[in-house]
């Protein structure tokens, strides 16, 4: 295989990427994700940890209180997060539906010294971000009231409870979970997936524009044409990954194992690109090839996630510097997979060339 021919094809395709909508839109999407990562942090954190978003709000929420004058009412009135209005249950629910109240708390007439539990009912708007914040704030008030009840009813405890000294929660944990657990893997792996989709466009357009026979008649082999396109799609991956890592470091986010991350993503991208090339050679029509490739890629990703050392976990562990030299073994196995796919793709391209000649 002539390396000069590969460079010619790669250079030709690289010059055409400026007008390629796929890569331009993909880069814009990545920039969008990076620019609005703070907003994504709030939104994603609200899905798995509503307490995380409560610290972003400093608004005093109007809530309705239904019931007699109890110590719980005093706790709510002393909470700086709420403005408490004593209402009836029907009026409170009606105001809640009109969004004039953020929540309604109904406290029963059960005495604090009674033997039965005190069941407090909270009414909020379902599937609402504000309700998540209000619930997180109310939880703190309810816990204070619960501590009061535990002290009052402590005479009923027959056994001495075991004290638990739990460490205080770190408010910055959600930020680091988002950055290292989601943002970095998403930014560095997205170029690989985009390049896999782009190789399909580059190959199928040769079939759709009927330029394949012209390429085959030139002093260059069909496998060299395919490998030149693969080289073009492959080269932009480490460039993008390096750029994202530099920007993250420049913004004060410490990233360990920069070189191993680039190597792992590059090899993974080569595997994905060759899978896309094989799909494009098999189906030759852009829509069908993209559909099959996307479906197969989802299956491959789900299968890879079943293993502890999947690419996503590797990127996370490498970025925080908490992995040993075993990642080099995984990299070697990925290289072997890439070599096998490269061999199969070359043979398949040669087969297509021979069939076209006949």
């Amino acid at each position: 295989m002539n390396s000069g021919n590969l460079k010619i094809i790669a250079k030709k395709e690289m010059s055409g990427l400026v007008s390629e909508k796929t890569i331009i839109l993909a880069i814009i999407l990545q920039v969008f994700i990076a620019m609005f990562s703070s907003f994504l942090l709030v939104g994603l954190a609200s899905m798995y940890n509503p307490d995380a978003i409560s610290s972003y709000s400093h608004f005093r929420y109007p809530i309705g209180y239904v019931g007699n004058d109890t110590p719980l009412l005093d706790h709510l009135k002393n909470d700086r997060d709420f403005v408490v209005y004593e209402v009836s249950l029907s009026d409170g629910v009606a105001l809640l539906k009109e969004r004039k109240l953020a929540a309604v708390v109904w406290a029963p007439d059960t005495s604090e010294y009674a033997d039965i539990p005190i069941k407090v009912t909270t009414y909020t708007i379902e599937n609402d971000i504000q309700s998540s914040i209000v619930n997180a704030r109310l939880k703190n008030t309810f816990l204070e009231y619960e501590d009061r009840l535990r002290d009052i009813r402590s005479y009923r405890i027959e056994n001495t409870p075991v004290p638990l000294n739990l460490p205080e929660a770190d408010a910055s944990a959600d930020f680091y979970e988002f950055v290292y657990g989601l943002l970095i893997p998403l930014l560095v792996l997205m170029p690989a997936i985009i390049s896999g989709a782009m190789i399909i466009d580059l190959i199928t357009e040769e079939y759709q524009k009927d330029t394949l026979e012209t390429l085959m008649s030139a002093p260059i082999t069909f496998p060299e044409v395919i490998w030149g396109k693969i080289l073009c799609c492959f080269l932009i991956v480490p460039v993008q990954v390096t750029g994202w890592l530099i920007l993250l470091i420049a913004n004060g986010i410490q990233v360990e194992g920069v070189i191993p991350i680039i190597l792992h993503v590059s090899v993974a991208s080569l595997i994905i690109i060759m899978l896309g090339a094989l799909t494009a050679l098999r189906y030759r029509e852009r829509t069908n090839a993209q559909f099959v490739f996307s479906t197969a890629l989802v299956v491959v990703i789900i299968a890879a996630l079943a293993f502890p050392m999947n690419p996503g976990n590797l990127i996370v562990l490498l970025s925080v510097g908490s992995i040993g030299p075993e990642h080099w073994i995984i990299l070697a196995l990925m290289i072997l997979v890439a070599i096998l796919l490269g061999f199969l793709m070359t043979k398949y391209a040669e087969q297509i060339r021979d069939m076209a000649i006949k």
Side-chain angles (χ1 to χ4, degrees):
M1 193 171 293
N2 193 323
S3 60
N5 292 338
L6 296 182
K7 293 179 182 178
I8 293 173
I9 297 296
K11 184 177 180 181
K12 167 186 170 295
E13 299 295 345
M14 194 71 71
S15 61
L17 287 182
V18 179
S19 58
E20 179 64 36
K21 295 180 180 179
T22 302
I23 188 64
I24 300 300
L25 292 175
I27 293 176
I28 293 175
L29 176 61
Q30 294 174 76
V31 173
F32 177 85
I33 292 173
M35 289 177 60
F36 292 92
S37 58
S38 297
F39 296 98
L40 290 173
L41 171 60
V42 176
L44 292 171
S46 65
M47 289 191 295
Y48 69 89
N49 184 13
D51 291 342
I53 60 175
S54 62
S55 59
Y56 292 93
S57 175
H58 303 285
F59 179 73
R60 297 192 69 186
Y61 297 96
I63 65 172
Y65 179 83
V66 181
N68 296 331
D69 188 0
T70 64
L72 176 59
L73 177 59
D74 297 332
H75 281 281
L76 291 172
K77 288 184 176 180
N78 294 331
D79 195 324
R80 296 182 179 180
D81 296 325
F82 304 115
V83 178
V84 182
Y85 299 94
E86 297 185 52
V87 295
S88 64
L89 183 58
S90 58
D91 292 340
V93 172
L95 292 172
L96 179 63
K97 290 181 179 179
E98 297 175 3
R99 290 186 176 270
K100 293 181 180 180
L101 292 178
V104 176
V105 177
W106 178 74
D109 297 332
T110 307
S111 171
E112 294 180 341
Y113 298 90
D115 294 333
I116 60 175
I118 298 178
K119 298 181 180 180
V120 178
T121 305
T122 304
Y123 299 88
T124 57
I125 300 174
E126 188 177 6
N127 299 325
D128 185 74
I129 294 180
Q130 178 179 272
S131 297
S132 300
I133 301 175
V134 173
N135 284 332
R137 298 293 178 87
L138 285 172
K139 177 183 175 182
N140 296 328
T141 304
F142 291 156
L143 288 175
E144 293 177 1
Y145 184 55
E146 183 183 38
D147 291 337
R148 170 188 170 87
L149 294 176
R150 288 182 184 276
D151 292 337
I152 294 174
R153 301 183 179 189
S154 61
Y155 68 91
R156 297 187 301 178
I157 299 177
E158 298 179 354
N159 299 319
T160 303
V162 178
L164 297 177
N165 297 321
L166 300 176
E168 295 184 1
D170 188 357
S172 61
D174 292 312
F175 171 79
Y176 289 104
E177 287 178 5
F178 174 77
V179 170
Y180 292 99
L182 181 63
L183 183 61
I184 293 178
L186 184 63
L187 287 177
V188 300
L189 291 176
M190 187 176 288
I193 298 174
I194 292 169
S195 293
M198 190 169 62
I199 189 65
I200 294 178
D201 291 347
L202 296 181
I203 294 176
T204 54
E205 72 176 358
E206 301 292 352
Y207 287 99
Q208 294 175 357
K209 294 181 180 179
D210 295 327
T211 56
L212 193 59
E213 294 182 358
T214 304
L215 286 174
M216 288 184 176
S217 63
I220 184 172
T221 65
F222 184 61
E224 288 175 347
V225 173
I226 301 302
W227 275 107
K229 294 177 181 292
I230 290 175
L231 180 61
C232 170
C233 296
F234 171 75
L235 290 177
I236 64 177
V237 173
V239 173
Q240 289 189 73
V241 173
T242 303
W244 286 125
L245 293 177
I246 291 175
L247 288 174
L248 289 170
I249 295 172
N251 280 276
I253 298 174
Q254 185 175 356
V255 181
E256 302 289 340
V258 173
I259 300 301
I261 289 175
I262 296 174
L263 291 175
H264 276 275
V265 175
S266 298
V267 176
S269 70
L270 184 58
I271 293 174
I272 293 174
I273 291 169
M274 285 191 290
L275 288 174
L278 285 169
T279 306
L281 291 173
R282 173 64 179 83
Y283 291 93
R284 305 182 184 183
E285 199 276 324
R286 181 181 182 277
T287 303
N288 293 337
Q290 289 285 10
F291 174 77
V292 173
F293 172 74
S294 301
T295 305
L297 186 61
V298 170
V299 174
V300 171
I301 291 175
I302 293 175
L305 291 176
F307 297 92
M309 287 299 177
N310 60 73
N313 283 345
L314 277 175
I315 299 302
V316 174
L317 295 174
L318 287 170
S319 61
V320 298
S322 60
I323 189 172
E326 62 269 15
H327 72 90
W328 296 112
I329 300 176
I330 299 173
L331 181 62
L333 294 175
M334 293 173 61
I335 292 174
L336 290 176
V337 173
I339 293 173
L340 177 61
L341 284 174
F343 176 78
L344 294 175
M345 196 214 61
T346 302
K347 290 298 181 182
Y348 191 47
E350 290 175 351
Q351 182 181 354
I352 293 175
R353 178 200 59 191
D354 296 339
M355 291 176 61
I357 293 175
K358 294 178 181 179

